[in-house]
Amino acid sequence: MTLHKLAQFGLLSVGVGALLTGCFGTGKDCDTATGAGCDSGVEGDADTDSDSDSDSDSDSDGDTDAVFDAYAFAMSVVVGYDGTGITSYVGSDGSAIDSFSIITMYEEAYFDAGDDRYKCEDYYSISENGVDSLQVDGIWNGWDISLIYMGAGETPCENFDAAIWGSDTPVDQIEATAWGAGVGPMSSDHQATLKTWIEGAGYSWDDDFANFWLSYFLGLYDADTGALAGSEIGYTWVFEADENMALISGDNCIVEGLQCADISQASETPSNVVLNTGSYYLPYTSNLF
């Protein structure tokens, strides 16, 4: 898998809002960089472009058909784990939440300044196909999973190049892709990289992260082995849940309102937890084809 280093924009909050309440959405109201669908979102604008011709785009050239050129992507998962496998859990508002994934697509221009106009994201439910080590030595838990688009009746990421993706949205390709996700202890090199990143952002690695993070491994199909192959691409928050898989409120970590599980002395993933992954590295979208 070829990886692209992710610029450090807003990563620590990935998925936390949906984790707490099960509030899902398309994650993109429009791509104002290309003008795709920009007047159908929450802004409520009717015509914000410069040509005042009452069309529906918000760019300066009147082009609503510009292709969203997906360059890299993030695939995060939020899953309940009860000691035997992936399961649903109960959010802080009492709602039952099935395990889910967030797929975020980035255009190359995003990495210039972290401009959200150059990204879009969709939510997918997770179906566990079985346990899989993802060819990672020492992994604690790994799964072969399928993703199913959750936005029935909503508009997914759009204006993709159908010649590449088979459609003007990435949904069919995402659902057809063989995915793997796993968690386990961090390698020393990965820990050193994340520590440098975290401390550079003004946090304390030792106080705020070291005891609460596992590594996140993303698995994609490897044609050479005919199996899923995992890469250590990010981090995993481990949040405590009770015997009913309901999130426990607490204040022992920097994620407000949630109780983090201390995994500093653990030799396996604790039972009754919610695993919330995030990426430090992004694969290129070419890995999907």
Side-chain angles (χ1 to χ4, degrees):
M1 182 191 302
T2 305
L3 299 176
H4 178 86
K5 184 177 177 180
L6 177 61
Q8 301 169 15
F9 303 119
L11 295 185
L12 301 182
S13 62
V14 170
V16 171
L19 176 148
L20 288 169
T21 65
C23 180
F24 305 104
T26 63
K28 57 97 202 141
D29 298 304
C30 66
D31 173 14
T32 54
T34 65
C38 286
D39 292 325
S40 61
V42 296
E43 301 95 340
D45 56 347
D47 182 14
T48 60
D49 63 352
S50 60
D51 56 13
S52 302
D53 59 0
S54 298
D55 60 11
S56 61
D57 69 277
S58 64
D59 60 358
S60 59
D61 61 7
D63 179 10
T64 60
D65 298 319
V67 170
F68 185 93
D69 187 10
Y71 166 75
F73 72 95
M75 183 271 215
S76 62
V77 300
V78 181
V79 300
Y81 175 67
D82 62 3
T84 60
I86 292 175
T87 186
S88 59
Y89 64 94
V90 179
S92 60
D93 62 350
S95 60
I97 302 174
D98 290 331
S99 295
F100 65 94
S101 174
I102 306 172
I103 301 287
T104 308
M105 296 287 179
Y106 300 88
E107 293 190 284
E108 189 170 7
Y110 176 86
F111 300 96
D112 293 333
D115 191 330
D116 284 350
R117 295 180 302 164
Y118 299 102
K119 75 172 186 178
C120 69
E121 66 184 23
D122 290 318
Y123 288 79
Y124 293 79
S125 62
I126 291 175
S127 175
E128 179 185 344
N129 301 319
V131 173
D132 195 303
S133 67
L134 309 181
Q135 304 180 59
V136 175
D137 291 337
I139 197 171
W140 284 357
N141 300 96
W143 298 279
D144 175 338
I145 59 176
S146 298
L147 303 185
I148 303 168
Y149 180 59
M150 293 176 62
E154 297 183 354
T155 302
C157 291
E158 57 189 342
N159 286 71
F160 279 58
D161 187 343
I164 297 173
W165 295 85
S167 171
D168 63 354
T169 83
V171 171
D172 289 346
Q173 181 62 44
I174 297 302
E175 291 185 335
T177 296
W179 297 97
V183 300
M186 285 188 183
S187 67
S188 57
D189 287 346
H190 195 63
Q191 179 173 302
T193 296
L194 295 189
K195 180 178 180 180
T196 299
W197 167 49
I198 289 298
E199 292 181 345
Y203 296 99
S204 168
W205 172 260
D206 292 333
D207 294 338
D208 298 328
F209 295 92
N211 294 336
F212 308 119
W213 269 12
L214 295 173
S215 260
Y216 165 44
F217 299 89
L218 172 64
L220 292 174
Y221 178 74
D222 180 4
D224 292 335
T225 63
L228 292 168
S231 296
E232 190 175 19
I233 68 165
Y235 56 87
T236 303
W237 286 106
V238 184
F239 298 117
E240 293 185 3
D242 63 19
E243 65 276 8
N244 298 313
M245 288 302 299
L247 282 166
I248 296 174
S249 61
D251 58 4
N252 72 327
C253 64
I254 68 168
V255 182
E256 184 176 357
L258 293 177
Q259 183 75 7
C260 287
D262 187 341
I263 47 81
S264 59
Q265 303 301 315
S267 58
E268 61 182 11
T269 308
S271 299
N272 291 14
V273 293
V274 177
L275 305 171
N276 188 170
T277 73
S279 296
Y280 179 77
Y281 295 103
L282 294 181
Y284 295 108
T285 54
S286 58
N287 285 282
L288 299 178
F289 303 101

